[in-house]
Amino acid sequence: APAVTTTRHLPTDMSHDPIVIAPSLLTADLSRLGEEVAALEVAGADRIHWDVMDGVFVPNITFGPDVVASARAHCTLPFDAHLMVAEPGLLLRRWVEAGCERIVVHAEAGPHLHRSLAEIAEAGARPGIALNPATPAGAIAHVLDLVDLVLVMTVNPGFGGQRYLDTMAGKISQVAAWVRGVNHAVEIQVDGGVGADTIGHARAAGATSFVSGSALYRHEGGPAAAIAELRARCTADVLVGSDA
Ligand code: DX5
Ligand code: ZN
């Protein structure tokens, strides 16, 4: 693996890292977004994951900055914008003005990833990098110093409700190993098909942060029960017993 900063300040065992549950709004009732983000805060979510799609980088089209801004006053949780867009720099300041604390761009969105991540920080947001399933973990090697979140996609981006790709376990572990080698905290997030039956697999591979959309909204107990079950599935005893 390409050399990254090797100063070791992070605990080698990340089992003490807090578990982050970031619901995706893709499967929410989009006619009531303000109420939906308020309900997710009450349900115990840590932050809101906005799946932004431009119909070019991915076939679907979803939210613009004005939609995000309209929901901002209804919830105090941090907003993460997951930009599945071909030109992530286009609306950068608008995302920040809309109230997004973090902006996650895809390693595959154009040739200037390093510049995009630096521009996000200059705009006052926390930069994150997302990797599509076929993109090797090595894509983060020369930009890990610029981010505090790496998002490993466990579906091909574009739509909610897809099946979790368990073949991503090795990549999650590779990212976790590199993150342990840098001297700042980097959240390892998994996004796509995450539910009660798959979160243990992703946690065991080294992820500590999880986006969940359809599994959370389909849970018969509602979002609060879904979030509680997702957290419970990440505890050590469950992991030891799991076949993850
Ligand atoms: C897919 C999105 C993901 C995810 C959320 O493009 O980036 O956030 O699919 O939905 P579920 O949890 O239903 O896969
Ligand atoms: Zn997403």
Side-chain angles (χ1 to χ4, degrees):
V4 289
T5 325
T6 52
T7 322
R8 184 179 294 282
H9 291 286
L10 289 177
T12 48
D13 169 8
M14 293 196 298
S15 60
H16 306 301
D17 284 353
I19 296 298
V20 172
I21 304 294
S24 159
L25 290 169
L26 274 188
T27 328
D29 177 349
L30 303 183
S31 72
R32 302 184 308 110
L33 269 179
E35 294 157 66
E36 293 281 68
V37 295
L40 288 171
E41 181 160 17
V42 170
D46 296 298
R47 63 175 85 119
I48 304 293
H49 182 87
W50 291 87
D51 280 312
V52 176
M53 302 181 189
D54 65 357
V56 177
F57 185 74
V58 291
N60 199 354
I61 296 178
T62 56
F63 320 106
D66 294 343
V67 172
V68 174
S70 70
R72 184 62 277 177
H74 295 267
C75 164
T76 65
L77 296 177
F79 283 179
D80 286 1
H82 173 193
L83 299 187
M84 290 163 275
V85 301
E87 304 276 350
L90 274 189
L91 296 169
L92 208 43
R93 296 201 178 284
R94 297 281 307 281
W95 294 117
V96 177
E97 287 158 8
C100 295
E101 172 192 276
R102 176 179 279 114
I103 296 173
V104 182
V105 295
H106 270 262
E108 308 85 5
H112 299 297
L113 173 62
H114 189 282
R115 186 177 68 194
S116 296
L117 293 168
E119 286 173 349
I120 291 167
E122 282 157 24
R126 299 168 70 170
I129 178 173
L131 302 176
N132 279 339
T135 303
I140 68 174
H142 304 292
V143 291
L144 208 41
D145 59 309
L146 298 177
V147 301
D148 69 1
L149 179 138
V150 177
L151 192 163
V152 179
M153 293 299 296
T154 41
V155 295
N156 284 293
F159 299 90
Q162 300 179 79
R163 192 176 54 80
Y164 172 89
L165 296 171
D166 59 11
T167 50
M168 293 298 119
K171 183 158 85 173
I172 297 167
S173 302
Q174 269 184 327
V175 169
W178 283 8
V179 162
R180 281 196 291 275
V182 296
N183 58 5
H184 68 284
V186 178
E187 195 171 307
I188 301 162
Q189 187 172 67
V190 164
D191 183 8
V194 173
D197 56 341
T198 56
I199 192 169
H201 180 273
R203 177 76 192 90
T208 57
S209 176
F210 306 92
V211 175
S212 181
S214 49
L216 186 142
Y217 280 101
R218 285 186 190 140
H219 195 286
E220 71 278 355
I227 290 169
E229 184 173 15
L230 289 172
R231 293 192 197 282
R233 295 280 178 142
C234 289
T235 56
D237 59 310
V238 170
L239 287 173
V240 166
S242 72
D243 57 358

